[in-house]
Amino acid sequence: MDLLTIVKAYGFRAVFSPELLIGIAAIAYFYVKYRRGGNSRAETAYFLLGLFLFYLALGGPLNLFGHFWFSVHMLQQSILYLVAPPLIYRGMPAEWFEHILQNKVCKAVIAVIGNPLIAIFLFNGALSFYHIPFIFDATMSNYALHNMLHLLLLLTAFGLWWPVYNPAGLYSLSPLKKMAYIFINGIMLTPACALIIFAGDLLYTTYTGSTHLLCLPFYSVTVERLPLSLDWLTPLNDQQLGGVVMKIVQEVSYGCMLGYIFFQWYRQEKDGAEDGYDPLLQE
């Protein structure tokens, strides 16, 4: 079944979320036009890639397919919380962090969700709570609850990465502490993934029915599922694959950051010289 057939069945708006695309494009435009500090091309690329992946996960076909396959849903969640926020932070100029902390409301929020000792439990706890079967099924069948929990997860995800990328000030960590923080985060998410991967029975009834509530960025609609089933991907295999997908994406994301921080920190310590601003190496 091709993409054109899916667009005809569910509509262009459901498949591509043009409202979200316009909003993301506006953010990208103002970032490129008004950013300060002479961001390098690499930093600009990180920020724009983060925005693109955020749209792909939340507004593109991935969001639609995530209502039909648990494995796709887990890929979507992994991109939204484990990949897009670090890329967006990586592309932010240093003065943006300062401006955020100058706002009293933002500073108060970050004082809670950006505290490393709180953030590490807040995000991993919220993500694990979200995947409790009866919570998950209720969330996927209630648009208001769906939006509320996903907004909470997104907020805690940005809080999780704040201590890693904040160059100075509130909850800025040294490179060694950043490596320890990322490593512990990797361990924290393992039990939830393992329970899904090794479950012998279906945990989520959401994916067993023929009727689904599509929770889209700006509206919801109940639809009948098209015959998109894959013979080899049974509901149980799909569920187990979902746990594997999230764990693999997490390991790749965390592993890349750990490796980068370590080797750059080691090189700076060895050479005794700074190579310019890098938020991952600030303390």
Side-chain angles (χ1 to χ4, degrees), residues 43-278:
E43 290 170 336
T44 300
Y46 283 130
F47 190 88
L48 296 180
L49 179 59
L51 289 182
F52 170 75
L53 290 176
F54 182 84
Y55 165 75
L56 179 68
L58 190 59
L62 204 62
N63 183 39
L64 175 67
F65 294 143
H67 289 81
F68 303 140
W69 288 294
F70 182 73
S71 55
V72 178
H73 175 77
M74 293 296 272
L75 176 61
Q76 176 202 30
Q77 300 293 291
S78 301
I79 294 173
L80 277 176
Y81 309 133
L82 305 179
V83 180
L87 288 171
I88 291 173
Y89 272 146
R90 186 66 179 82
M92 284 174 52
E95 61 267 20
W96 284 24
F97 291 92
E98 298 173 5
H99 292 328
I100 291 173
L101 291 176
Q102 288 172 1
N103 183 287
K104 293 182 179 180
V105 175
C106 292
K107 187 174 182 178
V109 172
I110 292 172
V112 178
I113 67 171
N115 185 326
L117 296 178
I118 297 176
I120 199 170
F121 292 101
L122 195 60
F123 171 75
N124 291 291
L127 192 62
S128 299
F129 173 81
Y130 169 70
H131 286 102
I132 295 174
F134 75 92
I135 298 294
F136 183 88
D137 288 332
T139 301
M140 296 298 285
S141 60
N142 185 298
Y143 183 62
L145 182 61
H146 180 276
N147 282 355
M148 182 181 70
L149 286 182
H150 279 80
L151 183 60
L152 174 64
L153 284 169
L154 188 62
L155 188 64
T156 58
F158 275 96
L160 178 74
W161 296 111
W162 176 268
V164 178
Y165 287 91
N166 178 31
L170 192 62
Y171 303 132
S172 178
L173 300 177
S174 68
L176 285 178
K177 289 181 180 178
K178 288 177 183 179
M179 287 187 280
Y181 178 75
I182 295 170
F183 179 78
I184 295 172
N185 262 295
I187 296 175
M188 293 284 288
L189 197 58
T190 299
C193 292
L195 288 174
I196 295 173
I197 294 170
F198 296 108
D201 301 305
L202 285 175
L203 300 176
Y204 310 109
T205 60
T206 297
Y207 295 95
T208 60
S210 60
T211 302
H212 298 264
L213 177 69
L214 296 184
C215 296
L216 303 166
F218 298 99
Y219 73 103
S220 64
V221 59
T222 301
V223 299
E224 293 290 330
R225 177 173 178 171
L226 289 177
L228 300 171
S229 300
L230 303 174
D231 293 336
W232 59 271
L233 192 63
T234 65
L236 182 58
N237 289 341
D238 177 46
Q239 177 179 284
Q240 294 170 338
L241 179 60
V244 172
V245 166
M246 173 158 280
K247 190 58 184 172
I248 289 177
V249 174
Q250 181 219 31
E251 292 293 337
V252 172
S253 175
Y254 288 19
C256 288
M257 275 184 282
L258 278 172
Y260 179 84
I261 294 172
F262 174 78
F263 286 111
Q264 292 297 317
W265 168 76
Y266 174 78
R267 185 166 63 86
Q268 285 191 2
E269 289 293 313
K270 183 179 179 180
D271 297 342
E274 294 286 343
D275 292 329
Y277 167 72
D278 189 330

